[in-house]
């Protein structure tokens, strides 16, 4: 037989350049070697050029005094802080706007996506127009528009619009509102909140298991919400209910006291959320449309209400289609937040840019900024991949 | 801005990939190219601003034109590259431009650690504050708690923080890179105060106030809180080119001191004064020492004018800015503009 003949034939000696295995190895070694050489050449060249031009290098500058002020900080910062601290402040600001942006864009986008599928003609047209308007104009232009609207349309601080019986002030310096004065009780309220969240989660698990076993439902959502709200309030009451507030009041040029949401932050957050939610809406819509119509009918036949069928039957299945493209949108929000610099929100890029100009350490700073965005993006990806695996179809 | 990062990235790529030594080659490269690459700021009336025909004009621009006149005998052989305050140093470090006239302040670290050389001072400036008259502020010491518009990555930003710290006052900065945007934010009332070099404040006040408000609705506060000597910036390494830039500026000052103007320079060629004969190259030697044409000062004065002419035309009494010569008078008239002798 031919097959046998092939199999049993003595191995003929092949010249090494004709042997696919050997050839494969040689090619791979050559390619890796070339890439390594190129990398070495580039690094060596950079170092030599920097030395020749007498440009100092290294990360020592991070410990030096930054000397510049930052307008919007979440942690203690002054011009006497170090460059490292300034970059950290910028990083926190980037995270703040990204996290809030992701949450709000998801919420708004989901509503818009469902709204566009509505049987109500007006609602679905409004959602459609929204989506088309926002995703077809560059984000930078939206940012400029929102920033201009806020700074041009609102009055100066001395003519500020007051709302809620003179406790909240709107002006082109931002929204000033009262906040409670710091008190030790608030720390314990935070602890109580964490405990309540853990408790609500455990309660939800228990209710699910009981319903699976006995069929008896338990209003775990209402109970959990009550726990999350009630426990911190209880701690607040037990702690003597401290209620001293810091009220915003006009003093000199600006408002003093209270807390403020600055126009730059507002404009950036609005821009990111409104722009990205248009994309999210389309992703949600595609996820729901991917489901067979029979799913809705089957859920209705089981006697589930519209809300229940959306929550228990349609969305869990739609999520499998929605989650992977949603990851890209979350990454986009994070990266697009760097457009902040166009309207003066002090994000990571802003801190780094100033640091580059004051220290001249462009290469080191660009490395830092790349590492920062890379680690944030990879964390988002890792989380979303984990979530995607969790909700993926399990084949039994 | 994306552009900044892109420019920074491009400059880094230039660092990484350029393999030939730059030292001593700048002048040859400029001559071979046939034009001087001059980096200027995005636009400050009187110092650097493209007019309606797209032609760059201003005091800073005139220094680039003087260098081109010295090297090529033609002040028009300049290619301008508008750079933001954050791009300008990387652009000159990486060789994208030969010289930066971006109203950059001469400081020790910039002169040393950045691999740059400042070759002189074309304008003695100082930082001040611009406020709307309606604010009712008479002195910078009354600015505690104010919101201040400032450009990022400048000595201005650092001086501002230093000044408020030294006077135990607080402030909120609003920091936007594009100068147009920062001015817009100031005029919209986002900030109480706009701070930068007094010369730029004068330019902003003269040229950028949006109607219906006018020039007179704004005041520049009297305090000058810093020394801002603005100088031409070149790459460290080619001292011959640096010398030409340094002496092109001195030539403008020296010409003013000897009364040589663009109008009378042809008659001055016939002058018997030995100093003028040396300056204008009638007695040769100066050009050879610099490695350029002997008629270099003649070309500069004829095509660009002397320092006083350039000052008056661009920022001084014949311009909308009407800035007083102040520290920028000649040394012989009580100012700081002083050229070492041409001999």
């Amino acid at each position: 037989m031919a097959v046998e003949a092939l199999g049993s034939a003595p191995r003929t000696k092949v010249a090494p350049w004709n042997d696919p295995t050997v050839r494969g190895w040689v090619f791979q070694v050559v390619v890796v070697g070339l890439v390594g050489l190129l990398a070495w050449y580039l690094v060596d060249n950079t170092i030599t050029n920097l030395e020749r031009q007498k440009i100092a290098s290294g990360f020592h500058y991070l410990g030096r005094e930054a000397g510049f002020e930052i307008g919007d900080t979440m942690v203690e910062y002054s011009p006497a802080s170090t460059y490292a601290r300034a970059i950290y402040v910028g990083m926190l600001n980037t995270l703040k706007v990204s996290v809030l942006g992701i949450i709000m864009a998801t919420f708004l986008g989901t509503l818009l996506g469902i709204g566009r599928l509505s049987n109500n003609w007006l609602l679905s047209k409004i959602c459609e127009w929204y989506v088309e308007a926002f995703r077809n104009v560059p984000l930078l232009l939206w940012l400029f528009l929102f920033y201009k609207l806020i700074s041009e349309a609102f009055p100066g601080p001395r003519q500020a619009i007051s709302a809620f019986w003179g406790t909240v002030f709107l002006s082109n310096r931002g929204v000033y509102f009262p906040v409670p004065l710091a008190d030790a009780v608030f720390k314990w309220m935070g602890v109580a909140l964490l405990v309540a969240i853990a408790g609500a989660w455990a309660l939800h698990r228990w209710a699910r298991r009981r319903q699976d076993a006995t069929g008896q439902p338990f209003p775990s959502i209402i109970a959990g919400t009550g726990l999350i709200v009630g426990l911190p309030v209880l701690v607040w009451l037990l702690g003597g209910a401290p209620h001293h507030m810091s009220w915003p009041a006009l003093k000199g040029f600006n408002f003093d006291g209270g807390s403020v949401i600055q126009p730059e932050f507002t404009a950036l957050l609005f821009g990111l959320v409104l722009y990205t939610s248009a994309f999210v809406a389309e992703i949600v819509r595609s996820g729901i449309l991917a489901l067979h119509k029979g799913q809705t009918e089957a859920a209705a036949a089981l006697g589930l209400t519209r809300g229940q069928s959306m929550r228990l039957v349609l969305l869990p299945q739609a999520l499998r289609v929605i989650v992977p493209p949603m990851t890209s949108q979350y990454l986009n929000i994070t990266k697009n937040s760097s457009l902040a610099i166009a309207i003066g929100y002090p994000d990571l890029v802003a801190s780094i840019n100033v640091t580059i100009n004051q220290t001249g350490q462009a290469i080191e700073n660009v490395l830092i900024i790349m590492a920062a965005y890379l680690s944030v993006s990879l964390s988002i990806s890792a989380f979303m991949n984990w979530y995607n695996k969790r909700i993926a179809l399990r084949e039994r | 801005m994306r552009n900044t990062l892109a420019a920074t990235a491009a400059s880094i790529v230039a660092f990484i990939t350029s393999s030939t030594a730059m030292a001593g080659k700048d002048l040859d490269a400029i001559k071979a190219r046939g034009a001087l690459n001059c980096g200027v700021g995005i636009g400050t009336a009187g110092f650097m601003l493209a007019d309606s025909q797209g032609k760059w004009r201003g005091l800073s621009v005139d220094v680039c034109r003087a260098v081109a006149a010295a090297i090529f005998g033609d002040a028009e052989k300049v290619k301008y590259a508008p750079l933001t305050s954050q791009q300008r140093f990387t652009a000159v470090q990486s060789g994208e431009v030969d010289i930066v006239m971006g109203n950059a302040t001469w400081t020790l670290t910039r002169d040393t650690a950045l691999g740059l050389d400042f070759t002189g001072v074309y304008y003695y400036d100082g930082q001040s504050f611009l406020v709307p008259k309606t604010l009712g502020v008479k002195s910078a010491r009354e600015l505690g708690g104010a919101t201040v518009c400032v450009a990022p990555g400048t000595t201005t930003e650092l001086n501002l923080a230093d000044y408020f710290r030294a006077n135990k006052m607080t402030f909120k900065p609003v920091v936007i890179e594009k100068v147009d945007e920062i001015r817009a934010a100031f005029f919209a009332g986002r900030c109480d105060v706009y701070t930068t070099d007094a010369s730029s404040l004068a330019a902003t006040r003269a040229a950028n106030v949006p109607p219906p408000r006018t020039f007179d609705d704004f005041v520049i506060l009297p305090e000058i809180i810093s020394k801002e000597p603005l100088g031409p910036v070149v790459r460290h390494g080619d001292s011959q080119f640096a010398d030409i830039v340094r002496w092109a500026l001195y030539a403008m000052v020296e010409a003013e001191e000897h009364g040589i103007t663009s109008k009378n320079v042809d008659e001055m060629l016939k002058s018997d004064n030995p100093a003028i004969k040396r300056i204008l190259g009638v007695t040769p030697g100066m050009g050879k020492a610099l490695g350029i044409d002997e008629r270099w000062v003649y070309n500069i004065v004829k095509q660009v004018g002397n320092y006083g002419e350039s000052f008056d035309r661009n920022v001084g009494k014949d311009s909308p800015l009407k800035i007083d010569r102040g520290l920028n008078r000649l040394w012989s008239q009580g100012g700081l503009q002083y050229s070492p002798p041409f001999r």
Side-chain angles (χ1 to χ4, degrees), chain A residues 315-328 330 379-394:
Chain A
L315 274 183
Q317 296 185 76
L319 271 181
R320 291 184 190 131
V321 182
I322 292 173
V323 167
M326 204 72 119
T327 312
S328 313
Y330 291 172
S379 309
I380 294 176
S381 293
F383 174 78
M384 292 300 281
N385 286 342
W386 166 82
Y387 184 66
N388 192 30
K389 249 190 216 121
R390 226 178 79 96
I391 59 162
L393 201 59
R394 284 192 200 92

Side-chain angles (χ1 to χ4, degrees), chain A residues 27-43:
Chain A
F27 281 135
Q28 291 184 42
V29 167
V30 167
V31 168
V32 170
L34 280 180
V35 170
L37 264 180
L38 186 68
W40 173 80
Y41 169 77
L42 293 178
V43 170

Side-chain angles (χ1 to χ4, degrees), chain B residues 291-312:
Chain B
I292 48 179
D293 184 27
E294 290 291 354
R295 305 252 285 181
W296 64 287
V297 183
Y298 171 82
N299 289 331
I300 291 175
V301 177
K302 179 82 187 166
Q303 297 176 26
V304 184
N306 69 34
Y307 182 81
E309 285 179 287
S310 176
F311 192 100
D312 290 343

Side-chain angles (χ1 to χ4, degrees), chain A residues 42 45-46 49 53 65 67 69 71 79 148 151 172-173 253-254 263-264 335 338 341-342 344 353-354 357-358 360, chain B residues 1-2 15-16 18 85-86 93 114-115 142 145 147 153-154 158 161 165 171-173 175 181 188-190 192:
Chain A
L42 293 178
N45 227 336
T46 308
N49 277 335
Q53 294 184 40
E65 183 182 287
E69 180 64 276
K148 283 271 158 19
S151 54
N172 59 11
R173 303 293 160 81
F253 303 102
N254 283 318
E264 290 77 18
K335 289 180 289 181
S338 62
I341 195 161
N353 270 350
V354 174
N357 209 40
Q358 303 297 9
Chain B
M1 195 133 294
R2 287 291 161 93
F15 273 130
I16 295 173
S18 66
S85 55
Q86 302 196 324
Q93 281 170 342
L114 296 194
E142 299 167 23
T147 305
T154 51
L158 302 181
R165 265 156 90 191
F171 72 103
K172 279 261 176 216
V175 182
E181 296 295 330
R190 174 66 186 93
D192 302 302

Side-chain angles (χ1 to χ4, degrees), chain A residues 41-43 45-46 49-50 52-56 64-73 78-80 83 140 144 147-148 151-152 154 156-158 172-174 176 251-254 260 262-264 335-339 341-345 349-350 352-354 356-363 366 369, chain B residues 1-2 4-5 8-9 12 14-23 85-90 92-94 109-110 112-116 134-137 142-147 152-155 157-159 161-162 165 171-178 181 184-185 187-193 235-236:
Chain A
Y41 169 77
L42 293 178
V43 170
N45 227 336
T46 308
N49 277 335
L50 286 178
R52 185 182 299 133
Q53 294 184 40
K54 306 259 182 303
I55 299 176
R64 294 213 306 262
E65 183 182 287
F68 60 91
E69 180 64 276
I70 298 180
D72 195 350
T73 60
S78 81
Y83 281 114
L140 187 61
F144 278 130
Y147 189 54
K148 283 271 158 19
S151 54
E152 303 276 353
F154 285 97
R158 289 176 190 183
N172 59 11
R173 303 293 160 81
Y176 280 81
K251 189 185 154 203
F253 303 102
N254 283 318
V260 59
Q262 298 197 13
E264 290 77 18
K335 289 180 289 181
N336 285 343
S337 72
S338 62
L339 288 171
I341 195 161
I343 54 168
Y345 177 67
V349 180
I352 289 277
N353 270 350
V354 174
I356 288 181
N357 209 40
Q358 303 297 9
T359 63
Q361 310 287 327
I363 293 181
V366 170
I369 205 169
Chain B
M1 195 133 294
R2 287 291 161 93
T4 317
L5 269 189
T8 314
I12 289 173
F15 273 130
I16 295 173
T17 49
S18 66
S19 56
T20 48
M22 287 175 187
S85 55
Q86 302 196 324
Q87 296 165 336
R88 55 194 181 182
F89 295 133
T90 356
V92 72
Q93 281 170 342
S94 63
T109 36
R110 285 178 174 175
T112 53
L114 296 194
L116 303 173
T134 50
L135 208 59
V137 171
E142 299 167 23
L143 289 177
T147 305
T154 51
T155 47
E157 196 184 9
L158 302 181
N159 295 332
D162 283 357
R165 265 156 90 191
F171 72 103
K172 279 261 176 216
V174 172
V175 182
I176 307 180
E177 186 183 2
K178 272 257 169 49
E181 296 295 330
F187 287 121
R190 174 66 186 93
C191 316
D192 302 302
V193 192
R235 214 162 18 257
H236 185 84

Side-chain angles (χ1 to χ4, degrees), chain B residues 155-285:
Chain B
T155 47
T156 317
E157 196 184 9
L158 302 181
N159 295 332
L160 173 69
D162 283 357
Y163 181 77
F164 276 76
R165 265 156 90 191
N167 287 293
K168 310 238 180 318
M169 301 190 293
T170 58
F171 72 103
K172 279 261 176 216
V174 172
V175 182
I176 307 180
E177 186 183 2
K178 272 257 169 49
V179 78
D180 299 337
E181 296 295 330
I182 196 104
R183 282 183 197 139
F186 170 67
F187 287 121
R190 174 66 186 93
C191 316
D192 302 302
V193 192
Y194 173 40
T195 184
T196 183
D197 295 348
S199 59
S200 298
L201 291 181
T204 303
R205 186 167 165 239
N208 302 101
V209 177
R213 287 182 293 175
T214 62
F215 185 85
D216 292 317
D217 291 322
F218 293 87
V219 280
I220 297 173
L221 297 181
E223 283 86 354
I224 297 286
I225 65 164
S226 67
K227 293 186 285 189
E228 308 282 346
L230 310 182
V233 184
V234 298
R235 214 162 18 257
H236 185 84
D238 186 346
S239 14
Q240 193 190 356
F241 177 60
D243 283 343
I244 293 172
V245 176
R246 177 176 301 122
W247 286 93
L249 175 58
Y250 284 149
M252 293 173 75
V253 175
E254 186 80 351
E256 185 185 6
E257 194 180 332
H258 286 89
I260 310 171
T261 67
S262 55
K263 309 225 169 39
N264 70 10
V265 64
D266 287 307
E267 293 152 42
M268 284 292 187
L269 282 176
K270 296 177 214 109
S271 165
D272 290 331
N273 184 330
I276 294 177
K277 285 171 96 168
R278 267 198 310 275
I279 294 167
L280 292 180
V282 179
T283 313

